[in-house]
């Protein structure tokens, strides 16, 4: 855990340049706008430790799989949203000396991310090796108002000299992925130009052939007026720039405005990209930095109105939740149904920017409650569109007859992951798609979704479970062998309870959807039956038999659910008793040692109890929580939020609060020692759930909103807002009272601590 960032309600603040933490800060201070984003790399040269990263949503490369020993069924590639051409560079030379913070003496370094307006700011005073001193003040944003525009205002002031300064303003497509499997470069050059005042490069991804045009223009002012400049244009492979020479006068700020346009062939015809990029540049230059920023900040103001959570009396907690909401919102805006939410968003390379079960299991509730209904629906439809690929994935592994096995990691529906214990064994993920449907239908009441899309998916997934179980004549039950549950610190186990429970539930849920569609639209039902070649009677009878006769491991002595058949053979010790130098286990212990231990990476039995809470009485929940929580090391970011929600339900207030800090400040305080690789974007939706479902106790039951709010002792009050079936509600909780205000829409009855309250 590192606590070098200052706490503030709306800002993330780093004071003093700390090269050792630079890559963490590059992640934390990242910017995005749903279409593109980048790590908080410096505009000027930096020869210190850095992970350079710019990303364009949906533009990926299938990096050839690399494994030690090939296993049949492995995918051929791992899809990566690759490091994209960079437009941020503003490289300064003062009389032939480069401004490079790794070689200069740096004072007064401050980096600030203003989450209210989505602005990254940096200021410092640097003394170049020859003694010349400059003060820099840089501001940058990726426009939320126009996802193809980015802008920088870079102000440099000479503090102890006047003289010549050279400014290199480039677009650079000669970039690499640090995690490239074979040290390949992923981009080819298609087009470049450097004219006085602008530079453009169009690059094409190898294999996938996406085109990305990155273009820049600029204006340079001295003392508020256009500066006299000399411009030289340069090009080399995948690179174009303007090198500007100008006079810098002591104490008179020189301001460089750099505007970028980033366009991809996902949104424009390839042969129109350059033309459209030029038009964007003109638009940006004409509008100017202040006006572009105003439009951008307006969008943020609106977003915050929809989804801000306020916490009074605890700055660390307030900063944490806003940071999570900010990062999540700038990663996925819900406007483009082809896109999804990568676990690292635009903040790093790890996880490839692809789609995981995280979206369905963690992110969906946030979008259900804070955005229009179509956003959550789009996320579901995204998986509907991948159904044919899920069927292919299943076929590759030997399943037949339309069984659908959704991938663990995907960009276009194909599996990309290549660790056998996850690719083949972490099978619970295929039912996350079914669970998301339940969440969506419960929340919105839109059962018609089954008719339009959902049922086809459910038939496919149910067929998968039907074939994946086997009958144990020893147990006289169905069992599921050789799996990995959500806890990835155990592989190839038998009867992971979570997996068995979810599988059996899916079979029942599919039946529910069949009943609905049959009862509401016989014609469409007949269509689905024909399309899926569905033998309703035979298949559903089998499904019922399986779900009625599923085996669930249980310890009758302790009266707890067993994570898997062999769990009790392990030495059961508490994570709190581990030596601090062993943590995080995944960086300190051999994999073998981890697998044999009882330590749980992330909620597993508790994940199941969280998802199916109403199936268990409070005592059962308590027993299982008390048993599993002490062995959980939370080395997946997805874990603490589930524990907040369950601890809240059990009245473990202090524990709930501590888990809340862990999920909300996971990246800000680098709890798991891995923020330098990027932020944990998908778990940020879990942080939102921690407040709304955890402290606020919000649930939907039988089409009604229920709340059972309480307030952590450390807080004076908190509030959140949710959209629900055409209404907007604000819930404000303090020590004295809970107020629920209907801000918009028809009157609504909600349940507050079990009692009906009519909101008007
Ligand atoms: C977790 C998975 C998760 C993945 C991406 C892993 O560490 O164990 O459950 O899907 O990260 O967030």
């Amino acid at each position: 855990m590192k606590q070098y960032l200052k706490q503030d309600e709306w800002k993330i603040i780093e004071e003093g340049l700390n090269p050792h933490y630079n890559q963490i800060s590059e992640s934390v201070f990242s910017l995005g706008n749903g279409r593109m984003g980048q790590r908080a790399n410096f505009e000027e040269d930096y020869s210190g430790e850095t992970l350079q990263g710019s990303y364009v949503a949906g533009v990926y490369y299938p990096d050839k799989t690399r494994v030690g020993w090939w296993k049949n069924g492995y995918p051929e590639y791992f899809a990566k949203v690759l490091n994209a051409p960079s437009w941020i560079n503003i490289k300064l030379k003062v009389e032939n000396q480069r401004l490079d913070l790794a070689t200069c003496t740096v004072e007064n370094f401050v980096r600030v991310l203003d989450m209210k307006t989505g602005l990254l700011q940096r200021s410092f005073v640097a003394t170049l090796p020859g003694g010349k001193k400059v003060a820099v003040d840089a501001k940058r944003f990726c426009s939320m108002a126009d996802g193809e525009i980015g802008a920088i205002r870079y102000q440099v002031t000479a503090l102890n000299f006047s003289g010549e300064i050279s400014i290199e303003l480039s677009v650079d497509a000669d970039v690499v992925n640090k995690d490239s499997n074979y040290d390949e470069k992923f981009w080819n050059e298609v087009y470049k130009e450097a004219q006085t005042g602008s530079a453009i490069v169009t690059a094409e991804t190898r294999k996938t052939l996406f085109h990305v045009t990155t273009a820049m223009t600029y204006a340079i002012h001295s003392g508020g007026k256009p500066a006299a400049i000399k411009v030289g244009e340069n090009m080399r492979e995948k690179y174009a720039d303007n090198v500007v020479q100008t006079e810098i006068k002591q104490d008179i700020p020189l301001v460089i405005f750099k505007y970028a346009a980033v366009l991809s062939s996902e949104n424009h015809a390839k042969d129109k990209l350059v033309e459209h990029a030029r038009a964007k540049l003109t638009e940006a230059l004409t509008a100017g930095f202040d006006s572009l920023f105003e439009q951008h900040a307006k969008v943020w103001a609106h977003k915050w109105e929809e989804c801000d959570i306020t916490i009074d009396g605890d700055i660390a907690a307030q900063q944490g939740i806003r940071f999570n909401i900010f990062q999540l919102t700038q990663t996925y805006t819900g406007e483009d149904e082809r896109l999804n939410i990568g676990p690292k968003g635009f903040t790093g390379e790890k996880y490839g920017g692809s789609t995981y079960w995280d979206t369905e299991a963690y992110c969906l509730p946030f979008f259900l409650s804070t955005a229009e209904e179509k956003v959550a629906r789009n996320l579901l439809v995204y998986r509907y569109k991948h159904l044919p690929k899920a069927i292919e994935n299943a076929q590759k592994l030997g399943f037949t007859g339309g069984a659908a096995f959704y991938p663990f990691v995907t960009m276009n529906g194909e599996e990309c992951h290549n660790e056998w214990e996850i690719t083949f064994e972490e099978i619970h993920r295929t039912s996350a798609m079914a669970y998301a449907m339940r969440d969506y239908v419960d929340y919105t009441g839109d059962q018609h979704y089954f008719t339009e899309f959902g049922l086809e998916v459910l038939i496919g997934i149910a067929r998968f479970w039907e074939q994946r179980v086997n009958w144990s004549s020893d147990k006289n039950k169905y069992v599921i062998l050789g799996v990995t549950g959500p806890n990835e610190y155990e592989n190839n186990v038998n009867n992971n309870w979570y997996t068995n429970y979810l599988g059996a539930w899916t079979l029942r849920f599919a039946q529910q959807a069949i009943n609905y569609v049959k009862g509401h639209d016989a014609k469409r039902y007949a269509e689905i039956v024909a399309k899926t070649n569905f033998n309703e009677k035979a298949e559903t009878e089998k499904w019922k038999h399986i779900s009625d006769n599923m085996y669930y491991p249980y310890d009758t002595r302790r009266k707890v659910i067993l994570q898997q058949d062999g769990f009790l053979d392990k030495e059961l010790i508490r994570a709190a008793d581990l030596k601090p130098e062993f943590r995080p286990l995944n960086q300190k212990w051999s994999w073998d040692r981890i697998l044999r231990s009882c330590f749980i990476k992330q909620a597993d039995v508790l994940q199941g109890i969280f998802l199916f809470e109403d199936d268990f009485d409070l005592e059962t929940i308590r027993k299982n929580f008390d048993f599993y929580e002490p062995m959980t090391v939370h080395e997946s970011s997805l874990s603490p939020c589930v524990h907040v929600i369950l601890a809240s339900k059990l009245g473990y207030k202090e524990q709930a609060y501590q888990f809340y800090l862990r999920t909300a400040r996971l990246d800000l305080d680098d709890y798991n020692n891995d923020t330098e690789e990027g932020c944990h974007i998908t778990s940020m939706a879990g942080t939102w759930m921690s407040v709304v479902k955890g402290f606020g106790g919000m649930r939907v039951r039988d089409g009604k909103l229920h709340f059972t709010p309480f307030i952590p002792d450390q807080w004076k009050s908190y509030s959140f807002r949710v959209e629900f079936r055409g209404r907007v509600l604000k819930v404000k909780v303090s020590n004295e009272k809970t107020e629920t205000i209907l801000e918009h829409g028809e009157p609504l009855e909600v349940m507050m601590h079990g009692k009906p309250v009519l909101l008007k």
Side-chain angles (χ1 to χ4, degrees), residues 342-344 350-351 354-359 362 408-409 417 422 426 428 485-489 586 601-602 635-638 674 680-683:
K344 295 271 177 250
K350 198 172 174 203
Y351 296 124
S354 317
T355 311
Y356 287 61
W357 72 303
D358 305 28
T359 296
Y362 289 83
F408 198 78
V409 180
H417 201 83
I422 291 176
E426 207 172 332
H428 67 80
N487 166 31
E488 292 174 351
Y489 287 177
N586 62 24
K601 180 183 182 189
Q602 68 202 89
E635 288 180 12
S636 160
S637 61
L638 299 177
D674 59 1
H680 300 81
I681 301 297
T682 44
S683 73

Side-chain angles (χ1 to χ4, degrees), residues 421 425-428 482-488 490-492 499:
E421 60 275 29
E425 294 207 329
E426 207 172 332
I427 57 176
H428 67 80
V483 302
T484 297
N487 166 31
E488 292 174 351
E490 275 187 332
N491 304 143
N492 205 36
T499 306

Side-chain angles (χ1 to χ4, degrees), residues 302-451:
H302 179 66
K303 294 264 178 205
W304 283 116
E305 242 168 58
E306 282 176 336
C307 60
D308 190 21
I309 290 183
T310 64
I311 297 171
D312 190 17
D314 186 345
I315 292 184
Q318 174 69 82
Q319 185 185 41
I321 188 68
R322 288 213 172 110
F323 178 67
N324 284 250
I325 295 173
F326 175 78
Q327 283 292 356
L328 196 58
T329 305
Q330 65 170 1
T331 301
Y332 181 74
T333 55
E335 281 151 20
D336 187 337
E337 66 193 41
R338 296 165 301 173
L339 300 179
N340 209 283
I341 308 146
K344 295 271 177 250
F346 299 120
T347 71
E349 293 177 3
K350 198 172 174 203
Y351 296 124
S354 317
T355 311
Y356 287 61
W357 72 303
D358 305 28
T359 296
E360 285 74 18
Y362 289 83
C363 301
L364 193 77
F366 172 78
F367 292 105
L368 272 172
S369 297
T370 60
E372 342 160 47
E373 215 165 282
K374 80 164 202 279
V375 173
R377 203 170 207 271
N378 275 348
L379 287 171
L380 297 190
V381 173
Y382 173 94
R383 295 291 193 173
Y384 171 75
K385 291 191 175 149
H386 288 181
L387 179 61
K389 293 277 186 202
I391 293 174
E392 254 176 55
N393 287 334
Q395 275 165 357
K396 282 185 197 155
L397 304 189
F399 297 88
T400 55
F405 186 35
Y406 276 90
F408 198 78
V409 180
T410 194
M411 198 59 82
N412 62 359
E414 284 167 16
E415 177 63 88
C416 300
H417 201 83
N418 59 49
E419 285 174 291
W420 63 268
E421 60 275 29
I422 291 176
T423 308
F424 308 142
E425 294 207 329
E426 207 172 332
I427 57 176
H428 67 80
R429 88 288 193 133
T430 202
S431 268
M433 317 317 149
Y435 191 85
M437 243 182 266
R438 171 178 134 161
D439 240 4
Y440 171 81
V441 169
D442 281 357
Y443 200 89
T444 61
D446 171 20
Q447 295 203 59
H448 185 64
Y449 184 80
F450 290 135
T451 316

Side-chain angles (χ1 to χ4, degrees), residues 635-646:
E635 288 180 12
S636 160
S637 61
L638 299 177
S639 191
C641 60
V642 172
H643 287 238
V644 179
I645 296 165
L646 292 181

Side-chain angles (χ1 to χ4, degrees), residues 32-34 115-118 141-147 291-307 326 329-330 333 335:
N33 62 13
M115 300 182 285
K116 199 175 207 167
T117 58
F141 64 92
C142 293
S143 175
M144 288 288 272
D146 182 336
S291 151
L292 290 174
F293 178 66
E294 201 180 302
Q295 293 161 34
H296 162 75
K298 216 185 249 173
V299 178
W300 267 115
H302 179 66
K303 294 264 178 205
W304 283 116
E305 242 168 58
E306 282 176 336
C307 60
F326 175 78
T329 305
Q330 65 170 1
T333 55
E335 281 151 20

Side-chain angles (χ1 to χ4, degrees), residues 529-542:
V529 167
K531 183 173 174 192
T532 57
N533 205 8
F534 186 43
N535 183 338
E536 187 192 325
K537 187 166 182 310
E539 294 192 58
T540 55
E541 271 175 12
K542 187 81 202 284

